[in-house]
């Protein structure tokens, strides 16, 4: 058991210095934060508040990953683990983030600095409520929907008139889809204000439920100014909406935490912009670190790219991130991983094979809207593809079987999107 | 004159595709956001809402800067300029950021994506109040202090007891320093709560002013949960404090914008964590872009690293960023650039030589606290060094002249910190 009074961080670093010395600089920057000894830095303070380097694993030498003031030909790479006294941080997320992911990235003598692993003390985790709804609460609000949930994004995301938007939502809700979400670019633009989107979508969803019996959830993007965040949330709730969406990296983890403190509905956490501090080798923060904080801050549903997506992460990375999301985090309610980008009937099989779970929300854009038989056929084709994946039936076989039974939705989707690579 | 109804962005990109095709994908992602044509994407919508590629400047081929699903040996690099209709965005900062710095960084077919330049339409700029105090307002609150302002950071930043903290502030305030600030790691920890810091610092500053006649400004770091942001601001103001500080990248631009809407005192904008999305070649956002939004959101004082600092940016980059901060932004009040890290008597000369301005706040840590003659001598030595820099007098000559006139503060600082390289 490690010391539960410290926050443990593992960084990948590069430096011209010996790695142990570079790690010592980082530990200093994260606790006492100065290089010129100053009066008042007493033994008592060092004893109680200093961060400690607990492990240095040197790797081979390489050329620098990041630009700096100095330009060494070769640097020494290492994974270093540092323990920071929890007393320095308390339980505040912003203070934690400043400490573990603040000035460190700027240090000129580091030619790479990436936070790859974060182990929080139990007391830190326990100080945060985590998701209020999570997987269970989301399913409950969608009529106790079981299995992988099928969702989609309103497209085109910019420029729909109100009648056009109404038509899109009507078709999707009548297709018995589990969730419809705003695109991350849809906020409160004048050509289709959030207030009208809420009114129209909740109206169409209620009407569709009378026919289908299935209560589609709509994630309304309430990203925007903080002064209006609560008002926008309240608009959703008062109209009978059952989900709000936040672009978390744009708004910040504190905005998510604050929304969690008053939200009466699940929070759909988008990750637009996260890659800016995640994608470079040797810089920023790994998804596995960020997702812990997003969960503590209270996201009920959290984006994680998707296998076979148009985004950069390779399938094994995405699968690892999904497994990370599904792993326990203290006593918090499990969060619902949201798969997006390039999702269609070919993706359930590799996804289920990689993560062995259907506690997922799969967002299919073209896979729903561009299905030749229309959105309802698109939704059916995706549910059939998930059934095939969990039963271990090949997609082509499942498509033929369903077609023989009178529903060619999967067959036509397979014709359009292919059978997938594996 | 360019079209004032669009937001113009210039990105550095790499792709295996022809640059014009890659740019078209980006324009699509930033406006209609899907690759499979969907019903409803009408000519009207395209006409009114599509983003347009206005320039593609191809560079030489190179190896990819960023990891992706695909691993081409060589990619085609280019600077591409894209115009996005302002109507798609409105005037909301979060929507702007999501549009220009959101999913684009994740695109698998881009092997680099960095937003290097942002040109906002006049109407967008005019929709934001910008700083409420800025350079002028800050100077006014420090007794109309002229020239480069001298500040420092409380050190050690973690672990000071209340009596120790009192002693530090007392010495600094009696040294007639212009500004004292919390370290970015000092928030509201239990061992020295913000409320006590405010009480002690304002008390000591008032007492010192009776002696010195100089009203030192203290920047209290109110970074933390958003639910408590206003309460923390109010604590500062009610105690007579004259500045609040925010770790802007950690809290988000929206938190800054919100704080601006009610703050009664200048906002000191720290940039801890910004480098995570700024330092990698080929990824993220340039400082010149970010600072525009931080100014629109209302930072009165904004960190910009420092020449000769321990941070990664080279002096010419720092100087360019300072000049960018000092450049006009619509009708907004000019923001005060804050120089930090490694600042001492050797840095005024190269700084003034590079930016030709004293509208600066120079934070010197060790340069004040570790001066052999104590903080008051540290502050005098820095003021003398700035006087020498603006008068074009060599540091050693100025130090001797001052020593002959009876003040050896600069001389002793030069002995400790050197005369600088140039």
């Amino acid at each position: 058991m490690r010391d539960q009074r410290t926050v443990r961080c593992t960084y990948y670093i590069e430096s011209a210095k010996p790695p142990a010395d570079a790690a010592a600089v980082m530990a200093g920057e994260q606790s006492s934060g100065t290089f010129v000894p100053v009066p008042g830095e007493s033994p008592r303070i060092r004893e109680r508040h200093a961060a400690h380097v607990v492990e240095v694993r040197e790797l081979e030498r390489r050329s620098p990953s990041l630009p700096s003031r100095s330009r060494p030909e070769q640097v020494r790479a290492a994974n270093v683990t540092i323990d920071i006294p929890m007393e320095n941080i308390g339980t505040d997320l912003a203070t934690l983030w400043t400490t573990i992911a603040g000035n460190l990235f700027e240090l000129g003598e580091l030619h790479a600095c990436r936070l790859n692993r974060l182990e929080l003390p139990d007391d830190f985790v326990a100080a945060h409520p985590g998701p209020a709804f999570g997987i269970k609460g989301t399913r409950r609000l969608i009529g106790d929907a079981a299995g992988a949930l099928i969702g989609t994004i309103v497209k085109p995301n910019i420029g729909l008139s109100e009648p056009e938007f109404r038509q899109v939502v009507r078709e999707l809700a009548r297709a018995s889809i589990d969730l419809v979400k705003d695109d991350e670019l849809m906020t409160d633009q004048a050509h289709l204000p959030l207030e009208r989107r809420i009114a129209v979508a909740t109206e169409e969803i209620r009407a569709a439920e009378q026919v289908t019996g299935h209560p589609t959830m709509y994630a309304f993007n309430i990203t925007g100014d903080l002064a209006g965040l609560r008002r926008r949330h309240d608009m959703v709730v008062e109209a009978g909406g059952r989900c709000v969406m936040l672009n978390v990296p744009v708004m910040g983890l504190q905005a998510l935490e604050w929304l969690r403190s008053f939200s009466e509905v699940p929070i759909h956490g988008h990750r637009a912009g996260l890659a800016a501090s995640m994608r470079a080798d040797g810089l920023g923060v790994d998804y596995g670190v960020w997702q812990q904080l997003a969960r503590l801050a209270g996201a009920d549903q959290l984006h994680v790219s998707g296998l076979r997506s148009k985004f950069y992460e390779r399938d094994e990375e995405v699968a690892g991130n999904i497994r990370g999301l599904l792993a326990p985090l203290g006593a918090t309610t499990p969060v619902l991983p949201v798969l997006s980008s390039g999702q269609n009937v070919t993706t359930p099989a590799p996804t289920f094979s990689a993560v062995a779970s259907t506690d997922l929300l799969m967002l299919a854009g073209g896979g729903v809207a561009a299905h030749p038989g229309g959105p309802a056929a698109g939704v059916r084709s995706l549910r059939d593809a998930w059934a095939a994946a969990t039963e271990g039936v090949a997609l082509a076989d499942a498509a033929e079987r369903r077609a023989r039974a009178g529903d060619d939705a999967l067959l036509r989707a397979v014709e359009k999107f292919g059978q997938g690579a594996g």
Side-chain angles (χ1 to χ4, degrees), chain A:
Chain A
M1 281 296 284
R2 70 171 195 84
D3 185 349
Q4 280 290 333
R5 293 161 302 173
T6 64
V7 171
R8 176 163 289 184
C9 296
T10 302
Y11 297 88
Y12 168 78
I13 62 165
E14 294 169 5
S15 181
K17 288 189 162 190
D21 295 359
V25 168
M26 295 170 69
E29 181 76 22
Q30 279 170 315
S31 50
S32 75
T34 183
F35 295 98
V36 181
V38 293
E41 202 175 336
S42 64
R44 178 189 64 78
I45 289 177
R46 280 181 200 277
E47 170 74 24
R48 189 159 151 185
H49 296 283
H52 291 285
V53 179
V54 293
E55 190 173 70
V56 175
R57 289 189 182 215
E58 187 155 3
L59 308 165
E60 76 280 11
R61 290 172 191 244
R62 51 192 63 165
S63 55
S65 293
L66 299 175
S68 189
R69 290 179 164 269
S70 63
R71 298 174 180 279
E73 285 274 309
Q74 290 261 297
V75 286
R76 295 168 72 166
N79 290 313
V80 302
T81 301
I82 297 173
D83 277 1
I84 305 158
M86 185 173 154
E87 192 183 349
N88 292 8
I89 294 167
T91 60
D92 174 51
L93 288 175
T95 306
L96 175 70
W97 201 242
T98 305
T99 306
I100 67 178
N103 275 359
L104 284 183
F105 301 125
E106 298 214 35
L107 294 179
E109 53 200 325
L110 297 184
H111 293 266
C113 181
R114 182 177 173 90
L115 176 56
N116 278 325
R117 192 178 161 87
L118 169 66
E119 295 166 77
L120 292 167
D122 296 344
D123 286 352
F124 191 99
V125 173
H128 299 273
F133 296 86
I135 296 171
K136 267 194 195 162
T138 297
R139 289 192 186 283
R140 184 169 40 80
L141 288 170
I142 314 176
D144 288 315
L149 299 171
I150 306 300
T152 197
I153 305 147
V154 170
K155 300 281 177 183
N157 50 9
I158 296 285
L160 285 177
S161 67
E162 188 177 310
E164 288 167 341
F165 174 74
R166 180 182 294 280
Q167 189 56 34
V168 169
V169 178
R170 179 176 295 174
E171 283 197 4
L172 292 168
R174 292 193 181 177
S176 292
I177 199 164
D178 296 315
L179 182 139
V180 179
K181 70 175 273 291
D182 282 337
D183 188 88
E184 80 276 5
L185 297 178
M186 295 170 75
T187 55
D188 195 12
Q189 288 91 344
H191 69 267
L192 183 55
L194 178 63
E195 186 172 8
R196 291 308 306 156
R197 238 161 47 237
I198 294 170
V200 167
T202 51
E203 199 175 294
E204 288 299 328
I205 284 171
R206 264 194 299 274
E209 190 184 349
Q210 300 303 312
V211 181
T212 65
H214 192 64
T216 295
M217 177 178 276
Y218 193 108
F220 293 101
N221 188 7
I222 62 169
T223 294
D225 67 312
L226 285 173
L229 189 70
R230 183 154 203 159
R231 181 183 55 76
R232 294 192 297 276
H233 162 274
D234 291 352
M235 277 203 300
V236 171
V237 171
E238 280 159 23
R242 289 189 299 266
C243 187
V244 292
M245 164 176 161
L246 200 70
N247 299 348
V248 178
V250 171
M251 296 294 289
L253 290 165
Q254 283 69 45
L256 173 58
E257 177 189 44
W258 186 42
L259 176 58
R260 161 67 174 88
S261 73
F262 59 77
S263 185
E264 297 176 33
V265 294
I267 302 167
H268 183 94
H270 201 280
R271 68 173 212 175
L274 185 62
S277 56
M278 188 171 74
R279 184 171 176 180
D281 286 332
L283 182 67
V285 175
D286 191 75
Y287 184 83
V289 172
W290 182 80
Q291 58 94 350
Q292 290 182 59
L293 301 198
R295 288 161 71 183
L296 292 184
D300 296 287
Q301 307 165 6
L302 202 57
H303 278 241
V304 65
S305 185
L307 283 85
R308 313 274 167 95
S309 85
K310 70 187 177 196
F311 292 150
Y312 73 99
E313 289 158 294
R314 286 169 289 114
D315 282 1
E316 55 269 35
E317 294 173 288
V318 176
N321 289 341
I322 296 169
R323 285 191 294 265
L325 278 177
L326 291 170
L329 180 63
T332 62
T333 301
V335 66
L336 180 66
V338 180
L339 314 179
S340 71
S341 171
Q343 302 301 294
N344 58 43
V345 291
T346 70
T347 49
T351 304
F352 186 74
S353 163
V355 305
S357 176
T358 57
D359 273 335
L360 302 166
L361 167 59
M362 174 174 273
L363 301 176
V368 171
H371 190 286
V379 172
R380 287 203 313 279
S381 72
L382 287 158
R383 293 215 171 101
D384 288 348
W386 268 102
T390 55
E391 290 159 15
V393 176
L395 201 58
D397 297 345
E400 273 180 39
R401 194 164 63 183
R402 293 291 295 140
R404 280 198 304 273
D407 184 355
D408 66 354
L410 183 55
L411 190 64
R412 294 181 72 186
V414 168
E415 284 163 9
K416 185 176 175 89
F417 297 106
Q419 297 178 32

